[in-house]
Amino acid sequence: MTGFLKKLKYPGSWSLFRSDDRLLLMIFAIIVGICSGLAALLLNRGLESMLAWLHHYRIYWWAIFLPAAGAALSSLFLEKVVNEGAGHGVPEVIYAVSRYGGLLRLRSSFSRLISSFLTIGSGGSAGPEAPVVMSGAAIGSNIAQAFSLNDRQRVALVGCGAAGAIAAIFNAPISGMVFAIEVILGEWSTMNIIPIAIAAVAGTEVSRLLKGNQIAFAHRDFNIHFHDILACVGLAVCCALVSILLTRALRAMHHASKGVSLPLWVRAAIGGSMVGAIGYFLPYILGEGYHAIRTAIEGGFSGGLLLVTVIALVKVLATALTLGSGGSGGIFAPCLVIGAFVGLSFHRFMAMVWSSVHWVNEGCFALLGMAGLISGILQAPLTGIFLVIEITGGYEVILPLIVVSAISTTLCHYLEPASFYLKDLVEQGQLLRPGTDARVLTDLSIQELLETDCICVHPDMRLADFIDIVKSSHRNYFPVEEQQSRQFVGMIHLDDIRPYLFDPAMHHAVLTGQLMNPHVKTVSLHDDLSEVLQKMDEDRIFSMPVVSDSRFQGMISKATLLDQYRKELMVQTGRF
């Protein structure tokens, strides 16, 4: 993928519209929001039909192999047909935003829709949200590429695609907007917020026109007391621990699967068959699980405390088996299901221990548990709060929602400093948020900072001849090269040889080779600029020679680097 991205070049055009970036992005945001909304609804309708069709066959013993077949076909499609690796989709989008200005392949706009349809529709424990986010982001990226928009505009449209997709699938415009900014872009700026908000509205309107303006998980009204809010602290701790459990289970299963010397589709089939076997006895864990959420928040789940706890833990296992072994899908829906049952478990435990206390309906705690899991595993509290409010209409639970989401996010951050989506990118040093020091330096290269006006001298030159060169130069650094081979051998700095310059007796007695520093530190054209700047700071130097294949290429100075750094920062933050 890296080679593909490095080859892409886009000529500057559409200059008429670029005089007003916001107007341009608002127009494209509507288009991207509509397209991503349609993609989200296409997958949603497809999954509903597939799950309904296969529901009648779940009573047969051979139905345990349905998730295996779906996961195997999904991995074969990604690996052999579209040549993309298995994954959740969202980390790939964040990676593209961090490293390549939001460049995504056109086929990513449909590849994850098909693969997740096969995985989830057959009963795999995953959600459709991450695939539609990748699809929407790819749509935004390719529309930007088609009209030769710059990196900053393209990143904004990637966010628009993600927002439109989430808004459409949940009928939740604020959640779509907040998710795109908080998770995908990681940058709250007016330049991004306006088009992303418009795209979220466009995606929501598409959903409402085709599906109706309906709340995904309706519930009864909750009468919350002060002791219920206090109990939410305990629920938040439980949600944080389960979030960490799910994160580590997914990673452990992924590493275990990679360690098995079998084709990906075989590993995916094994994981799918295990999910199918579990689902034969506990059908609540199959598919996206939205039916289980409705039952939980309506307070109509009839099982006891033990069964509810088992369902929550087994759903963690099923999700790890599905996604860790090679299936395609997201973690939003599993988090909502697990969170709902964690909330039910906590409420029933509290009701059993303090039976004399009049607790709010258990559906309220199921709803709060959903927010706790989403906030914890994504470490995005605003996404968790607004998502649950919008998909349930539970505005009366805003206070405990804030408590649960804030505490769960904070605890998860201490236990796992990077969220589930970001952990691999952080470990690989690939997470570079716009406007940060690492991202700005990554977008600069030594080649574009190279100062080539230095005059080279050779080691056999007399000091008198060197002084003549100094008179016509405005530099303090002089590279020394072998006269025949042009090989770099050292540097001369005027401050180091100043006593010799003012001693006429030395002018014909000393050669430049005797005055040079042969052990000067050098950098190459391909060195990382952040490391170069670190070397300069450690050694308290302001310029370094750039050497490639033993040949002097030029100088790189801290002054030039910081000047270009400032200009690049202004471009990335839209302040030029």
Side-chain angles (χ1 to χ4, degrees), residues 416-434:
E416 288 280 357
S419 72
F420 172 73
Y421 284 148
L422 304 181
K423 190 169 181 62
D424 288 338
L425 296 177
V426 170
E427 290 179 349
Q428 297 165 11
Q430 300 293 346
L431 181 64
L432 306 174
R433 290 301 198 185

Side-chain angles (χ1 to χ4, degrees), residues 154-480:
R154 186 168 57 244
V155 165
L157 289 188
V158 167
C160 289
I166 290 293
I169 205 165
F170 285 120
N171 187 22
I174 298 178
S175 302
M177 180 184 71
V178 171
F179 173 80
I181 296 172
E182 189 176 32
V183 177
I184 300 297
L185 303 187
E187 180 187 25
W188 294 83
S189 68
T190 307
M191 182 68 193
N192 292 330
I193 292 175
I194 293 175
I196 287 174
I198 291 173
V201 170
T204 304
E205 284 303 310
V206 168
S207 174
R208 291 178 179 178
L209 285 172
L210 298 180
K211 290 181 61 178
N213 185 12
Q214 54 186 346
I215 296 174
F217 306 109
H219 64 87
R220 66 179 68 179
D221 292 333
F222 300 126
N223 186 18
I224 300 173
H225 300 91
F226 180 69
H227 58 266
D228 294 312
I229 296 178
L230 288 179
C232 288
V233 176
L235 175 60
V237 174
C238 293
C239 289
L241 294 177
V242 176
S243 296
I244 298 300
L245 174 64
L246 177 58
T247 299
R248 294 183 178 177
L250 283 163
R251 290 174 59 82
M253 191 62 66
H254 177 69
H255 291 309
S257 176
K258 287 181 67 176
V260 178
S261 56
L262 290 172
L264 177 61
W265 69 271
V266 175
R267 287 180 272 148
I270 293 172
S273 62
M274 296 174 70
V275 172
I278 297 170
Y280 185 76
F281 299 99
L282 283 175
Y284 288 105
I285 62 98
L286 294 175
E288 56 191 14
Y290 287 163
H291 59 289
I293 297 174
R294 292 188 182 94
T295 306
I297 66 174
E298 289 171 1
F301 193 82
S302 57
L305 172 60
L306 179 60
L307 177 61
V308 171
T309 305
V310 168
I311 290 175
L313 296 177
V314 171
K315 183 67 175 177
V316 171
L317 175 61
T319 304
L321 286 169
T322 300
L323 299 178
S325 62
S328 181
I331 59 171
F332 259 71
C335 281
L336 293 175
V337 176
I338 295 167
F341 282 95
V342 168
L344 284 186
S345 300
F346 184 81
H347 181 277
R348 294 185 180 186
F349 174 78
M350 296 289 287
M352 182 178 65
V353 175
W354 289 283
S355 56
S356 60
V357 178
H358 178 70
W359 298 100
V360 69
N361 182 274
E362 65 180 15
C364 178
F365 274 72
L367 185 152
L368 296 173
M370 292 159 61
L373 258 291
I374 289 289
S375 300
I377 201 164
L378 301 184
Q379 294 187 21
L382 292 179
T383 298
I385 292 169
F386 286 112
L387 179 65
V388 170
I389 287 177
E390 288 191 293
I391 66 177
T392 64
Y395 291 94
E396 71 273 16
V397 299
I398 184 67
L399 293 181
L401 265 180
I402 293 173
V403 171
V404 172
S405 296
I407 295 176
S408 178
T409 301
T410 303
L411 291 177
C412 286
H413 177 71
Y414 281 113
L415 297 173
E416 288 280 357
S419 72
F420 172 73
Y421 284 148
L422 304 181
K423 190 169 181 62
D424 288 338
L425 296 177
V426 170
E427 290 179 349
Q428 297 165 11
Q430 300 293 346
L431 181 64
L432 306 174
R433 290 301 198 185
T436 60
D437 186 70
R439 172 63 186 275
V440 174
L441 290 175
T442 300
D443 285 346
L444 297 174
S445 67
I446 291 180
Q447 186 72 50
E448 62 185 301
L449 301 176
L450 204 60
E451 300 172 359
T452 58
D453 58 341
C454 299
I455 302 175
C456 296
V457 299
H458 56 84
D460 299 325
M461 180 181 291
R462 293 180 306 166
L463 180 58
D465 298 327
F466 175 70
I467 291 174
D468 291 336
I469 292 176
V470 171
K471 291 177 181 178
S472 61
S473 173
H474 64 277
R475 310 283 305 196
N476 291 328
Y477 291 93
F478 295 86
V480 182

